[in-house]
Amino acid sequence: MKVLIVFAHPERQSFNGAMVDAAVAALEAAGHTVVVSDLYRMGFDPVSSRANFTSVKDPDYLKLQIEEMHATEVGGFSPEVEAEIEKVEACDLMIFQFPLWWFGLPAILKGWVDRVMAMGRTYGGGRFYATGPFQGKNALLSVTIGGPPENYRKGGFNGDITAILRPIHRGILQFLGFEVLAPELHHGPARATPEQRSAWLAAWQARLAAIGQESPYDVGPY
Ligand code: FAD
């Protein structure tokens, strides 16, 4: 299996970074090929603009989806965007590794989605959800969360984590055709003991060693 890990954390030595290292080791030991897009260390520009393209459809008015469809037709994506699209197209499993920031994706990862998931190439023309171009591929959110689990239950302080992640699961991953696997959630890594964090990393590796056998996850109701 080919696995793409899209990693968004400003500190490489963070617990998120340890989750990436654990994943790469476990997946490679199981015979899989792993590619990591480490967005901060790549200096990935999250701002969607004309810099997404080498081609131009309308020089007078920038409508991103029109330019995306044109770039799809003429091979006009910038090298930075084209390289990321090709990584997604090549993978069987895509993992997003990130800390929950403001109930969502860190801006650098949201910007990666904005720029890389381009109309024409990754959705559009009636191709989305069950007909999305990435059917047959799996996707998984591996998320660290500052608050404790009890704050993220239905009726809890922050509300149900399933509902918080649903816009990403449904509005991005399933929209593009991915089958969603259960999210990997770790609450309060900074407050956990070193032993607890080591146990989480080991459990993550055990999960990944058998990731090919997992069934799809229910992303929750509308
Ligand atoms: P770290 O603090 O990097 O890691 C914790 C500990 O793990 C560190 O001591 C580190 O040294 C240690 N560690 C590293 N490697 C290993 C290893 N190999 N083995 C064992 N231990 C190791 N939280 C919410 O709940 N909801 C929000 O909406 C939210 N919004 C936020 C918005 C912003 C802008 C920011 C900055 C934070 C927000 N947070 C929120 C908190 C955030 O989600 C957590 O701080 C983050 O998830 C913690 O993960 P980390 O990787 O940064 O942990």
Side-chain angles (χ1 to χ4, degrees), residues 63-107:
K63 186 157 174 68
L64 285 167
Q65 289 173 312
I66 299 286
E67 295 296 336
E68 288 171 357
M69 288 194 290
H70 181 63
T72 300
E73 280 170 26
V74 302
F77 289 102
S78 70
E80 183 185 37
V81 171
E82 177 65 30
E84 295 308 298
I85 296 174
E86 288 179 10
K87 290 178 196 173
V88 179
E89 289 173 338
C91 80
D92 304 296
L93 168 65
M94 182 172 75
I95 298 174
F96 284 0
Q97 178 66 56
F98 64 98
L100 189 72
W101 280 6
W102 297 113
F103 278 24
L105 299 172

Side-chain angles (χ1 to χ4, degrees), residues 9 13-16 18 100-103 144-147 152 197:
H9 197 293
Q13 298 178 81
S14 62
F15 186 71
N16 273 265
L100 189 72
W101 280 6
W102 297 113
F103 278 24
T144 62
I145 302 165
Y152 282 95
R197 289 193 294 262

Side-chain angles (χ1 to χ4, degrees), residues 24-170:
V24 171
L27 290 163
E28 288 184 348
H32 305 303
T33 307
V34 187
V35 171
V36 179
S37 281
D38 181 347
L39 301 182
Y40 277 95
R41 263 57 62 184
M42 288 161 65
F44 186 82
D45 178 1
V47 178
S48 206
S49 71
R50 280 215 188 266
N52 296 358
F53 314 105
T54 54
S55 55
V56 180
K57 174 78 173 176
D58 183 345
D60 299 322
Y61 189 98
L62 175 60
K63 186 157 174 68
L64 285 167
Q65 289 173 312
I66 299 286
E67 295 296 336
E68 288 171 357
M69 288 194 290
H70 181 63
T72 300
E73 280 170 26
V74 302
F77 289 102
S78 70
E80 183 185 37
V81 171
E82 177 65 30
E84 295 308 298
I85 296 174
E86 288 179 10
K87 290 178 196 173
V88 179
E89 289 173 338
C91 80
D92 304 296
L93 168 65
M94 182 172 75
I95 298 174
F96 284 0
Q97 178 66 56
F98 64 98
L100 189 72
W101 280 6
W102 297 113
F103 278 24
L105 299 172
I108 200 169
L109 180 51
K110 175 57 167 51
W112 182 90
V113 174
D114 290 346
R115 297 186 69 203
V116 173
M117 298 308 183
M119 190 174 198
R121 189 76 173 265
T122 75
Y123 72 95
R127 297 170 310 142
F128 44 79
Y129 294 120
T131 57
F134 297 137
Q135 284 171 80
K137 301 181 191 293
N138 290 326
L140 187 168
L141 303 181
S142 178
V143 193
T144 62
I145 302 165
E150 58 271 23
N151 290 359
Y152 282 95
R153 295 198 184 111
K154 211 169 181 177
F157 195 61
N158 294 320
D160 186 7
I161 190 67
T162 306
I164 290 168
L165 295 180
R166 195 176 187 287
I168 309 171
H169 280 143
R170 184 69 182 159

